[in-house]
């Protein structure tokens, strides 16, 4: 691939939630998906057919290299994949919020990070226009090429070095993964009462909708911000059969600052 | 008020977030708002004018009683308000998720609970059709009357005794108040990097949107469910200057069960 040329062909390594969605978005944006590399044989036929691509079970089977390798495996496997691509002339990037750019430095010539800031679940349609990409690369030419790809998928991107990206990733874990776990605890508590999660879902939607117009600290409501000790004690008492949730309740309530007029 | 008659006039005691919104919804649904009772003089003129009502600073000033008193004060003040209404012939209800029906038993003849399961913030427009009411009363006649009111505001209601309502309330605290605090922590972490909360907002919206189609435990993603120890350690390391958030991170991650294929 010449320095001035655009990326045209892409091979996807790993088809977990991120690879599954990203490969389809790239195909729809007009990119040639050269290979899908995945040890797993399961449930890949329909994806392979849809993307008009080849399924390989190992990188060693690659004959014609793509312009770009997109590594979509779990963080812990990125160094191993990177090592096995050490003779590649392609650009090699990972899609992780938490892995450093340095993971590539000893092995690759042209490398970077292409991190979509979103929660991916198979079988769920994504609105890519809403998804910002955090981009990083070892040099400006590679960065420009990644920018073009991000632009064609979503139109939204930011440049972020590995340190800033890790902090965005932690923020995403709190805002997304941990919020979801709060919903899981709510769901479990309701189920024990024979009630459906649907009863609190409008509340949860409104909670998030508010954040379009005000900051989360302005939007905070509930017993903790009012320092309503009576209610919090009744809750703690009822949670005593779930000591883990009780401790989460205690810690988060303590972390919410008191405001006499929430 | 006769046993068979519908509620027509309502007095609102307390104009915090709940009273503020509920008084307007009741007015729009055609109820006469007889009084707004609030010690505070501030910011009430426009509300009083809009509702064509009278502002009293104490219940003692009531001359003509309404069909229904709606107590919208903090839980800790409900017994005191209830005591001061002890000679009332009106139905008396509170709007709290966490307070028992028994709070009224020694003081009132006709009493109940009218709890809107929603997060209220002044200045925010509510979609009342989305808000379920949890209703409870000391007798069937009162319950029927409250049902009519809930129906006219939102069309959604459930009957829940005080024990079930308290559990729904805890669930709501996790799903809403605690999710919002997760967003506050995310916002603070991003601000420290000079980044805007907007960057994770699409992620948060998608996190909640997913729950319309799958249960929260099916929707869980992130380092904890993958048991990605490397990433979690890097996050914990970065959070060490915020020991409270670090402890919340540790506890919630521990509470998310490992799933090898999230």
């Amino acid at each position: 691939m010449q320095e001035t040329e655009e990326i045209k062909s892409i091979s996807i390594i790993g088809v977990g939630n991120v690879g599954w969605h990203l490969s389809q978005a790239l195909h729809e944006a007009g990119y040639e998906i050269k290979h899908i590399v995945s040890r797993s044989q399961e449930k890949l036929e329909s994806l392979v057919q849809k993307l008009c691509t080849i399924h390989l079970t190992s990188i060693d089977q690659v004959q014609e290299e793509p312009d770009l390798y997109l590594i979509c495996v779990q963080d812990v496997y990125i160094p191993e994949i990177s090592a096995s691509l050490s003779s590649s002339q392609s650009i090699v990037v990972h899609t992780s919020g938490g892995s450093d750019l340095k993971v590539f430095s000893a092995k690759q010539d042209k490398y970077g990070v292409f991190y979509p800031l979103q929660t991916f679940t198979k079988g769920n349609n994504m609105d890519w226009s809403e998804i910002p990409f955090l981009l990083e690369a070892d040099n400006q030419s590679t960065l420009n090429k990644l920018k073009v790809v991000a632009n064609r998928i979503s139109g939204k991107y930011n440049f972020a070095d590995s340190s800033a990206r890790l902090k965005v990733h932690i923020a995403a874990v709190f805002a997304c993964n941990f919020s979801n776990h709060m919903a899981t605890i709510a769901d479990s508590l309701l189920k024990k009462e024979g009630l459906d999660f649907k009863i609190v879902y409008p509340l949860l939607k409104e909670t998030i909708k508010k954040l379009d117009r005000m900051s989360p600290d302005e939007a905070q409501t509930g017993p903790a911000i009012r320092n309503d000790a009576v209610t919090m004690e009744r809750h703690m008492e009822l949670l005593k059969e779930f000591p883990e949730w009780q401790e989460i309740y205690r810690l988060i309530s303590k972390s919410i600052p008191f405001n006499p007029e929430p």
Side-chain angles (χ1 to χ4, degrees), chain A residues 123-156:
Chain A
N124 199 18
N125 287 327
M126 307 304 300
D127 176 3
W128 286 92
S129 69
E130 281 270 22
I131 301 176
F133 282 84
L134 298 192
L135 307 178
E136 185 180 11
D138 68 310
N139 69 62
Q140 193 60 43
S141 161
T142 301
L143 195 60
N144 287 341
K145 285 172 182 163
L146 296 177
K147 196 176 81 176
V148 171
V149 181
N151 232 340
R152 271 172 67 178
I153 303 181
S154 92
K156 283 190 186 173

PDB file of all heavy atoms in Angstrom, chain A residues 123-156:
ATOM      1  N   GLY A 123     -26.690  -8.832  17.306  1.00  0.00           N
ATOM      2  CA  GLY A 123     -28.121  -8.913  17.054  1.00  0.00           C
ATOM      3  C   GLY A 123     -28.828  -7.596  17.288  1.00  0.00           C
ATOM      4  O   GLY A 123     -30.043  -7.484  17.184  1.00  0.00           O
ATOM      5  N   ASN A 124     -28.063  -6.567  17.610  1.00  0.00           N
ATOM      6  CA  ASN A 124     -28.599  -5.248  17.922  1.00  0.00           C
ATOM      7  C   ASN A 124     -28.193  -4.292  16.796  1.00  0.00           C
ATOM      8  O   ASN A 124     -27.021  -4.229  16.454  1.00  0.00           O
ATOM      9  CB  ASN A 124     -27.952  -4.804  19.243  1.00  0.00           C
ATOM     10  CG  ASN A 124     -28.723  -3.713  19.923  1.00  0.00           C
ATOM     11  OD1 ASN A 124     -29.886  -3.501  19.615  1.00  0.00           O
ATOM     12  ND2 ASN A 124     -28.061  -3.017  20.829  1.00  0.00           N
ATOM     13  N   ASN A 125     -29.137  -3.564  16.197  1.00  0.00           N
ATOM     14  CA  ASN A 125     -28.763  -2.624  15.139  1.00  0.00           C
ATOM     15  C   ASN A 125     -28.142  -1.364  15.714  1.00  0.00           C
ATOM     16  O   ASN A 125     -28.640  -0.805  16.679  1.00  0.00           O
ATOM     17  CB  ASN A 125     -29.995  -2.256  14.303  1.00  0.00           C
ATOM     18  CG  ASN A 125     -30.415  -3.393  13.407  1.00  0.00           C
ATOM     19  OD1 ASN A 125     -29.578  -4.156  12.923  1.00  0.00           O
ATOM     20  ND2 ASN A 125     -31.711  -3.536  13.210  1.00  0.00           N
ATOM     21  N   MET A 126     -27.052  -0.925  15.103  1.00  0.00           N
ATOM     22  CA  MET A 126     -26.348   0.254  15.601  1.00  0.00           C
ATOM     23  C   MET A 126     -26.653   1.463  14.723  1.00  0.00           C
ATOM     24  O   MET A 126     -26.752   1.338  13.508  1.00  0.00           O
ATOM     25  CB  MET A 126     -24.824   0.030  15.543  1.00  0.00           C
ATOM     26  CG  MET A 126     -24.313  -1.229  16.210  1.00  0.00           C
ATOM     27  SD  MET A 126     -24.796  -1.369  17.937  1.00  0.00           S
ATOM     28  CE  MET A 126     -24.058   0.093  18.623  1.00  0.00           C
ATOM     29  N   ASP A 127     -26.752   2.625  15.370  1.00  0.00           N
ATOM     30  CA  ASP A 127     -26.810   3.876  14.625  1.00  0.00           C
ATOM     31  C   ASP A 127     -25.388   4.445  14.603  1.00  0.00           C
ATOM     32  O   ASP A 127     -24.963   5.139  15.523  1.00  0.00           O
ATOM     33  CB  ASP A 127     -27.777   4.850  15.314  1.00  0.00           C
ATOM     34  CG  ASP A 127     -27.802   6.207  14.634  1.00  0.00           C
ATOM     35  OD1 ASP A 127     -27.119   6.367  13.598  1.00  0.00           O
ATOM     36  OD2 ASP A 127     -28.495   7.108  15.134  1.00  0.00           O
ATOM     37  N   TRP A 128     -24.654   4.140  13.516  1.00  0.00           N
ATOM     38  CA  TRP A 128     -23.230   4.514  13.475  1.00  0.00           C
ATOM     39  C   TRP A 128     -22.994   6.009  13.451  1.00  0.00           C
ATOM     40  O   TRP A 128     -21.936   6.488  13.853  1.00  0.00           O
ATOM     41  CB  TRP A 128     -22.546   3.842  12.275  1.00  0.00           C
ATOM     42  CG  TRP A 128     -22.344   2.380  12.534  1.00  0.00           C
ATOM     43  CD1 TRP A 128     -23.184   1.360  12.204  1.00  0.00           C
ATOM     44  CD2 TRP A 128     -21.243   1.772  13.226  1.00  0.00           C
ATOM     45  NE1 TRP A 128     -22.683   0.161  12.646  1.00  0.00           N
ATOM     46  CE2 TRP A 128     -21.489   0.382  13.269  1.00  0.00           C
ATOM     47  CE3 TRP A 128     -20.079   2.269  13.817  1.00  0.00           C
ATOM     48  CZ2 TRP A 128     -20.607  -0.520  13.873  1.00  0.00           C
ATOM     49  CZ3 TRP A 128     -19.196   1.377  14.418  1.00  0.00           C
ATOM     50  CH2 TRP A 128     -19.473  -0.009  14.441  1.00  0.00           C
ATOM     51  N   SER A 129     -24.014   6.764  13.009  1.00  0.00           N
ATOM     52  CA  SER A 129     -23.815   8.218  12.949  1.00  0.00           C
ATOM     53  C   SER A 129     -23.651   8.799  14.357  1.00  0.00           C
ATOM     54  O   SER A 129     -23.210   9.931  14.530  1.00  0.00           O
ATOM     55  CB  SER A 129     -24.999   8.879  12.259  1.00  0.00           C
ATOM     56  OG  SER A 129     -26.147   8.778  13.088  1.00  0.00           O
ATOM     57  N   GLU A 130     -24.029   8.024  15.374  1.00  0.00           N
ATOM     58  CA  GLU A 130     -23.968   8.495  16.767  1.00  0.00           C
ATOM     59  C   GLU A 130     -22.660   8.084  17.454  1.00  0.00           C
ATOM     60  O   GLU A 130     -22.453   8.390  18.617  1.00  0.00           O
ATOM     61  CB  GLU A 130     -25.131   7.871  17.562  1.00  0.00           C
ATOM     62  CG  GLU A 130     -26.468   8.542  17.352  1.00  0.00           C
ATOM     63  CD  GLU A 130     -26.694   9.677  18.358  1.00  0.00           C
ATOM     64  OE1 GLU A 130     -25.698  10.190  18.891  1.00  0.00           O
ATOM     65  OE2 GLU A 130     -27.858  10.018  18.585  1.00  0.00           O
ATOM     66  N   ILE A 131     -21.815   7.290  16.770  1.00  0.00           N
ATOM     67  CA  ILE A 131     -20.680   6.675  17.456  1.00  0.00           C
ATOM     68  C   ILE A 131     -19.375   7.413  17.162  1.00  0.00           C
ATOM     69  O   ILE A 131     -18.895   7.420  16.032  1.00  0.00           O
ATOM     70  CB  ILE A 131     -20.536   5.189  17.038  1.00  0.00           C
ATOM     71  CG1 ILE A 131     -21.833   4.444  17.390  1.00  0.00           C
ATOM     72  CG2 ILE A 131     -19.319   4.548  17.701  1.00  0.00           C
ATOM     73  CD1 ILE A 131     -21.859   3.003  16.951  1.00  0.00           C
ATOM     74  N   PRO A 132     -18.771   8.042  18.179  1.00  0.00           N
ATOM     75  CA  PRO A 132     -17.480   8.685  17.941  1.00  0.00           C
ATOM     76  C   PRO A 132     -16.339   7.657  17.977  1.00  0.00           C
ATOM     77  O   PRO A 132     -16.354   6.742  18.793  1.00  0.00           O
ATOM     78  CB  PRO A 132     -17.343   9.666  19.111  1.00  0.00           C
ATOM     79  CG  PRO A 132     -18.263   9.168  20.181  1.00  0.00           C
ATOM     80  CD  PRO A 132     -19.247   8.207  19.569  1.00  0.00           C
ATOM     81  N   PHE A 133     -15.377   7.825  17.073  1.00  0.00           N
ATOM     82  CA  PHE A 133     -14.168   6.989  17.099  1.00  0.00           C
ATOM     83  C   PHE A 133     -13.031   7.775  17.744  1.00  0.00           C
ATOM     84  O   PHE A 133     -12.861   8.958  17.461  1.00  0.00           O
ATOM     85  CB  PHE A 133     -13.758   6.596  15.677  1.00  0.00           C
ATOM     86  CG  PHE A 133     -14.586   5.481  15.108  1.00  0.00           C
ATOM     87  CD1 PHE A 133     -15.807   5.741  14.494  1.00  0.00           C
ATOM     88  CD2 PHE A 133     -14.160   4.161  15.194  1.00  0.00           C
ATOM     89  CE1 PHE A 133     -16.585   4.704  13.989  1.00  0.00           C
ATOM     90  CE2 PHE A 133     -14.932   3.124  14.689  1.00  0.00           C
ATOM     91  CZ  PHE A 133     -16.138   3.391  14.081  1.00  0.00           C
ATOM     92  N   LEU A 134     -12.282   7.117  18.611  1.00  0.00           N
ATOM     93  CA  LEU A 134     -11.058   7.720  19.147  1.00  0.00           C
ATOM     94  C   LEU A 134      -9.885   7.134  18.366  1.00  0.00           C
ATOM     95  O   LEU A 134      -9.702   5.908  18.341  1.00  0.00           O
ATOM     96  CB  LEU A 134     -10.910   7.449  20.644  1.00  0.00           C
ATOM     97  CG  LEU A 134     -11.997   8.023  21.551  1.00  0.00           C
ATOM     98  CD1 LEU A 134     -11.566   7.935  23.015  1.00  0.00           C
ATOM     99  CD2 LEU A 134     -12.302   9.479  21.212  1.00  0.00           C
ATOM    100  N   LEU A 135      -9.122   8.012  17.730  1.00  0.00           N
ATOM    101  CA  LEU A 135      -8.064   7.585  16.822  1.00  0.00           C
ATOM    102  C   LEU A 135      -6.684   7.951  17.365  1.00  0.00           C
ATOM    103  O   LEU A 135      -6.498   8.999  17.973  1.00  0.00           O
ATOM    104  CB  LEU A 135      -8.246   8.259  15.454  1.00  0.00           C
ATOM    105  CG  LEU A 135      -9.621   8.117  14.795  1.00  0.00           C
ATOM    106  CD1 LEU A 135      -9.654   8.873  13.477  1.00  0.00           C
ATOM    107  CD2 LEU A 135      -9.973   6.645  14.578  1.00  0.00           C
ATOM    108  N   GLU A 136      -5.734   7.060  17.076  1.00  0.00           N
ATOM    109  CA  GLU A 136      -4.338   7.313  17.440  1.00  0.00           C
ATOM    110  C   GLU A 136      -3.489   6.538  16.435  1.00  0.00           C
ATOM    111  O   GLU A 136      -3.907   5.475  15.953  1.00  0.00           O
ATOM    112  CB  GLU A 136      -4.073   6.809  18.873  1.00  0.00           C
ATOM    113  CG  GLU A 136      -2.685   7.145  19.389  1.00  0.00           C
ATOM    114  CD  GLU A 136      -2.436   6.638  20.817  1.00  0.00           C
ATOM    115  OE1 GLU A 136      -3.266   5.854  21.329  1.00  0.00           O
ATOM    116  OE2 GLU A 136      -1.401   7.015  21.394  1.00  0.00           O
ATOM    117  N   ALA A 137      -2.299   7.059  16.087  1.00  0.00           N
ATOM    118  CA  ALA A 137      -1.428   6.322  15.171  1.00  0.00           C
ATOM    119  C   ALA A 137       0.004   6.738  15.417  1.00  0.00           C
ATOM    120  O   ALA A 137       0.270   7.759  16.066  1.00  0.00           O
ATOM    121  CB  ALA A 137      -1.813   6.578  13.719  1.00  0.00           C
ATOM    122  N   ASP A 138       0.933   5.925  14.877  1.00  0.00           N
ATOM    123  CA  ASP A 138       2.347   6.229  15.089  1.00  0.00           C
ATOM    124  C   ASP A 138       2.819   7.365  14.200  1.00  0.00           C
ATOM    125  O   ASP A 138       3.843   7.976  14.471  1.00  0.00           O
ATOM    126  CB  ASP A 138       3.193   4.973  14.838  1.00  0.00           C
ATOM    127  CG  ASP A 138       3.182   4.575  13.377  1.00  0.00           C
ATOM    128  OD1 ASP A 138       2.063   4.493  12.793  1.00  0.00           O
ATOM    129  OD2 ASP A 138       4.255   4.360  12.792  1.00  0.00           O
ATOM    130  N   ASN A 139       2.103   7.639  13.113  1.00  0.00           N
ATOM    131  CA  ASN A 139       2.501   8.768  12.266  1.00  0.00           C
ATOM    132  C   ASN A 139       1.290   9.403  11.594  1.00  0.00           C
ATOM    133  O   ASN A 139       0.198   8.819  11.568  1.00  0.00           O
ATOM    134  CB  ASN A 139       3.550   8.331  11.221  1.00  0.00           C
ATOM    135  CG  ASN A 139       2.944   7.402  10.181  1.00  0.00           C
ATOM    136  OD1 ASN A 139       2.033   7.782   9.440  1.00  0.00           O
ATOM    137  ND2 ASN A 139       3.427   6.153  10.137  1.00  0.00           N
ATOM    138  N   GLN A 140       1.497  10.596  11.058  1.00  0.00           N
ATOM    139  CA  GLN A 140       0.397  11.404  10.540  1.00  0.00           C
ATOM    140  C   GLN A 140      -0.288  10.753   9.347  1.00  0.00           C
ATOM    141  O   GLN A 140      -1.518  10.832   9.198  1.00  0.00           O
ATOM    142  CB  GLN A 140       0.920  12.804  10.170  1.00  0.00           C
ATOM    143  CG  GLN A 140      -0.174  13.824   9.920  1.00  0.00           C
ATOM    144  CD  GLN A 140      -1.071  14.040  11.135  1.00  0.00           C
ATOM    145  OE1 GLN A 140      -0.600  14.144  12.265  1.00  0.00           O
ATOM    146  NE2 GLN A 140      -2.393  14.073  10.915  1.00  0.00           N
ATOM    147  N   SER A 141       0.497  10.097   8.504  1.00  0.00           N
ATOM    148  CA  SER A 141      -0.085   9.476   7.307  1.00  0.00           C
ATOM    149  C   SER A 141      -1.082   8.376   7.696  1.00  0.00           C
ATOM    150  O   SER A 141      -2.190   8.299   7.169  1.00  0.00           O
ATOM    151  CB  SER A 141       1.051   8.907   6.444  1.00  0.00           C
ATOM    152  OG  SER A 141       0.536   7.951   5.556  1.00  0.00           O
ATOM    153  N   THR A 142      -0.692   7.533   8.641  1.00  0.00           N
ATOM    154  CA  THR A 142      -1.594   6.475   9.107  1.00  0.00           C
ATOM    155  C   THR A 142      -2.828   7.078   9.773  1.00  0.00           C
ATOM    156  O   THR A 142      -3.961   6.641   9.536  1.00  0.00           O
ATOM    157  CB  THR A 142      -0.856   5.544  10.102  1.00  0.00           C
ATOM    158  OG1 THR A 142       0.274   4.983   9.430  1.00  0.00           O
ATOM    159  CG2 THR A 142      -1.748   4.433  10.598  1.00  0.00           C
ATOM    160  N   LEU A 143      -2.592   8.114  10.570  1.00  0.00           N
ATOM    161  CA  LEU A 143      -3.713   8.775  11.260  1.00  0.00           C
ATOM    162  C   LEU A 143      -4.719   9.326  10.249  1.00  0.00           C
ATOM    163  O   LEU A 143      -5.932   9.164  10.414  1.00  0.00           O
ATOM    164  CB  LEU A 143      -3.166   9.904  12.140  1.00  0.00           C
ATOM    165  CG  LEU A 143      -4.113  10.473  13.195  1.00  0.00           C
ATOM    166  CD1 LEU A 143      -4.548   9.389  14.175  1.00  0.00           C
ATOM    167  CD2 LEU A 143      -3.444  11.611  13.956  1.00  0.00           C
ATOM    168  N   ASN A 144      -4.199   9.943   9.188  1.00  0.00           N
ATOM    169  CA  ASN A 144      -5.093  10.484   8.155  1.00  0.00           C
ATOM    170  C   ASN A 144      -5.928   9.385   7.509  1.00  0.00           C
ATOM    171  O   ASN A 144      -7.109   9.572   7.218  1.00  0.00           O
ATOM    172  CB  ASN A 144      -4.289  11.204   7.075  1.00  0.00           C
ATOM    173  CG  ASN A 144      -3.753  12.540   7.585  1.00  0.00           C
ATOM    174  OD1 ASN A 144      -4.258  13.075   8.578  1.00  0.00           O
ATOM    175  ND2 ASN A 144      -2.725  13.051   6.920  1.00  0.00           N
ATOM    176  N   LYS A 145      -5.293   8.245   7.271  1.00  0.00           N
ATOM    177  CA  LYS A 145      -6.018   7.138   6.639  1.00  0.00           C
ATOM    178  C   LYS A 145      -7.124   6.601   7.551  1.00  0.00           C
ATOM    179  O   LYS A 145      -8.212   6.269   7.093  1.00  0.00           O
ATOM    180  CB  LYS A 145      -5.041   6.026   6.254  1.00  0.00           C
ATOM    181  CG  LYS A 145      -4.218   6.397   5.023  1.00  0.00           C
ATOM    182  CD  LYS A 145      -3.136   5.393   4.748  1.00  0.00           C
ATOM    183  CE  LYS A 145      -2.322   5.854   3.535  1.00  0.00           C
ATOM    184  NZ  LYS A 145      -1.039   5.160   3.460  1.00  0.00           N
ATOM    185  N   LEU A 146      -6.815   6.521   8.835  1.00  0.00           N
ATOM    186  CA  LEU A 146      -7.835   6.047   9.794  1.00  0.00           C
ATOM    187  C   LEU A 146      -8.991   7.052   9.895  1.00  0.00           C
ATOM    188  O   LEU A 146     -10.153   6.676  10.021  1.00  0.00           O
ATOM    189  CB  LEU A 146      -7.214   5.818  11.173  1.00  0.00           C
ATOM    190  CG  LEU A 146      -6.155   4.722  11.256  1.00  0.00           C
ATOM    191  CD1 LEU A 146      -5.570   4.649  12.676  1.00  0.00           C
ATOM    192  CD2 LEU A 146      -6.715   3.357  10.847  1.00  0.00           C
ATOM    193  N   LYS A 147      -8.622   8.317   9.808  1.00  0.00           N
ATOM    194  CA  LYS A 147      -9.621   9.385   9.862  1.00  0.00           C
ATOM    195  C   LYS A 147     -10.634   9.239   8.728  1.00  0.00           C
ATOM    196  O   LYS A 147     -11.845   9.399   8.938  1.00  0.00           O
ATOM    197  CB  LYS A 147      -8.886  10.729   9.742  1.00  0.00           C
ATOM    198  CG  LYS A 147      -9.660  11.927  10.138  1.00  0.00           C
ATOM    199  CD  LYS A 147      -8.786  13.175  10.053  1.00  0.00           C
ATOM    200  CE  LYS A 147      -8.681  13.688   8.613  1.00  0.00           C
ATOM    201  NZ  LYS A 147      -7.910  14.951   8.530  1.00  0.00           N
ATOM    202  N   VAL A 148     -10.126   8.896   7.539  1.00  0.00           N
ATOM    203  CA  VAL A 148     -11.003   8.715   6.377  1.00  0.00           C
ATOM    204  C   VAL A 148     -11.983   7.569   6.637  1.00  0.00           C
ATOM    205  O   VAL A 148     -13.182   7.674   6.364  1.00  0.00           O
ATOM    206  CB  VAL A 148     -10.173   8.452   5.094  1.00  0.00           C
ATOM    207  CG1 VAL A 148     -11.083   8.052   3.929  1.00  0.00           C
ATOM    208  CG2 VAL A 148      -9.350   9.681   4.733  1.00  0.00           C
ATOM    209  N   VAL A 149     -11.473   6.471   7.214  1.00  0.00           N
ATOM    210  CA  VAL A 149     -12.349   5.324   7.490  1.00  0.00           C
ATOM    211  C   VAL A 149     -13.418   5.703   8.523  1.00  0.00           C
ATOM    212  O   VAL A 149     -14.616   5.440   8.328  1.00  0.00           O
ATOM    213  CB  VAL A 149     -11.534   4.100   7.990  1.00  0.00           C
ATOM    214  CG1 VAL A 149     -12.454   2.914   8.246  1.00  0.00           C
ATOM    215  CG2 VAL A 149     -10.451   3.716   6.974  1.00  0.00           C
ATOM    216  N   ALA A 150     -12.999   6.341   9.616  1.00  0.00           N
ATOM    217  CA  ALA A 150     -13.958   6.747  10.661  1.00  0.00           C
ATOM    218  C   ALA A 150     -15.007   7.679  10.079  1.00  0.00           C
ATOM    219  O   ALA A 150     -16.203   7.566  10.372  1.00  0.00           O
ATOM    220  CB  ALA A 150     -13.224   7.431  11.817  1.00  0.00           C
ATOM    221  N   ASN A 151     -14.552   8.577   9.228  1.00  0.00           N
ATOM    222  CA  ASN A 151     -15.457   9.531   8.591  1.00  0.00           C
ATOM    223  C   ASN A 151     -16.502   8.841   7.735  1.00  0.00           C
ATOM    224  O   ASN A 151     -17.666   9.252   7.708  1.00  0.00           O
ATOM    225  CB  ASN A 151     -14.636  10.481   7.713  1.00  0.00           C
ATOM    226  CG  ASN A 151     -14.965  11.914   8.037  1.00  0.00           C
ATOM    227  OD1 ASN A 151     -16.009  12.208   8.608  1.00  0.00           O
ATOM    228  ND2 ASN A 151     -14.073  12.806   7.663  1.00  0.00           N
ATOM    229  N   ARG A 152     -16.078   7.787   7.052  1.00  0.00           N
ATOM    230  CA  ARG A 152     -17.031   7.099   6.170  1.00  0.00           C
ATOM    231  C   ARG A 152     -18.042   6.282   6.967  1.00  0.00           C
ATOM    232  O   ARG A 152     -19.157   6.061   6.515  1.00  0.00           O
ATOM    233  CB  ARG A 152     -16.295   6.218   5.159  1.00  0.00           C
ATOM    234  CG  ARG A 152     -15.980   7.043   3.903  1.00  0.00           C
ATOM    235  CD  ARG A 152     -15.103   6.372   2.919  1.00  0.00           C
ATOM    236  NE  ARG A 152     -15.685   5.208   2.259  1.00  0.00           N
ATOM    237  CZ  ARG A 152     -15.042   4.520   1.318  1.00  0.00           C
ATOM    238  NH1 ARG A 152     -13.823   4.887   0.928  1.00  0.00           N
ATOM    239  NH2 ARG A 152     -15.596   3.484   0.750  1.00  0.00           N
ATOM    240  N   ILE A 153     -17.662   5.822   8.144  1.00  0.00           N
ATOM    241  CA  ILE A 153     -18.625   5.055   8.949  1.00  0.00           C
ATOM    242  C   ILE A 153     -19.535   5.970   9.753  1.00  0.00           C
ATOM    243  O   ILE A 153     -20.746   5.809   9.756  1.00  0.00           O
ATOM    244  CB  ILE A 153     -17.913   4.093   9.942  1.00  0.00           C
ATOM    245  CG1 ILE A 153     -16.977   3.135   9.204  1.00  0.00           C
ATOM    246  CG2 ILE A 153     -18.949   3.289  10.721  1.00  0.00           C
ATOM    247  CD1 ILE A 153     -16.282   2.173  10.148  1.00  0.00           C
ATOM    248  N   SER A 154     -18.958   6.932  10.449  1.00  0.00           N
ATOM    249  CA  SER A 154     -19.788   7.681  11.402  1.00  0.00           C
ATOM    250  C   SER A 154     -19.714   9.192  11.263  1.00  0.00           C
ATOM    251  O   SER A 154     -20.617   9.900  11.699  1.00  0.00           O
ATOM    252  CB  SER A 154     -19.397   7.319  12.845  1.00  0.00           C
ATOM    253  OG  SER A 154     -18.408   8.206  13.334  1.00  0.00           O
ATOM    254  N   GLY A 155     -18.622   9.711  10.705  1.00  0.00           N
ATOM    255  CA  GLY A 155     -18.482  11.169  10.623  1.00  0.00           C
ATOM    256  C   GLY A 155     -18.012  11.808  11.920  1.00  0.00           C
ATOM    257  O   GLY A 155     -17.767  13.005  11.971  1.00  0.00           O
ATOM    258  N   LYS A 156     -17.923  10.987  12.991  1.00  0.00           N
ATOM    259  CA  LYS A 156     -17.491  11.549  14.274  1.00  0.00           C
ATOM    260  C   LYS A 156     -16.186  10.907  14.710  1.00  0.00           C
ATOM    261  O   LYS A 156     -16.101   9.679  14.815  1.00  0.00           O
ATOM    262  CB  LYS A 156     -18.524  11.253  15.364  1.00  0.00           C
ATOM    263  CG  LYS A 156     -19.747  12.122  15.302  1.00  0.00           C
ATOM    264  CD  LYS A 156     -20.580  11.929  16.564  1.00  0.00           C
ATOM    265  CE  LYS A 156     -21.894  12.680  16.446  1.00  0.00           C
ATOM    266  NZ  LYS A 156     -22.793  12.376  17.566  1.00  0.00           N
TER     267      LYS A 156
END
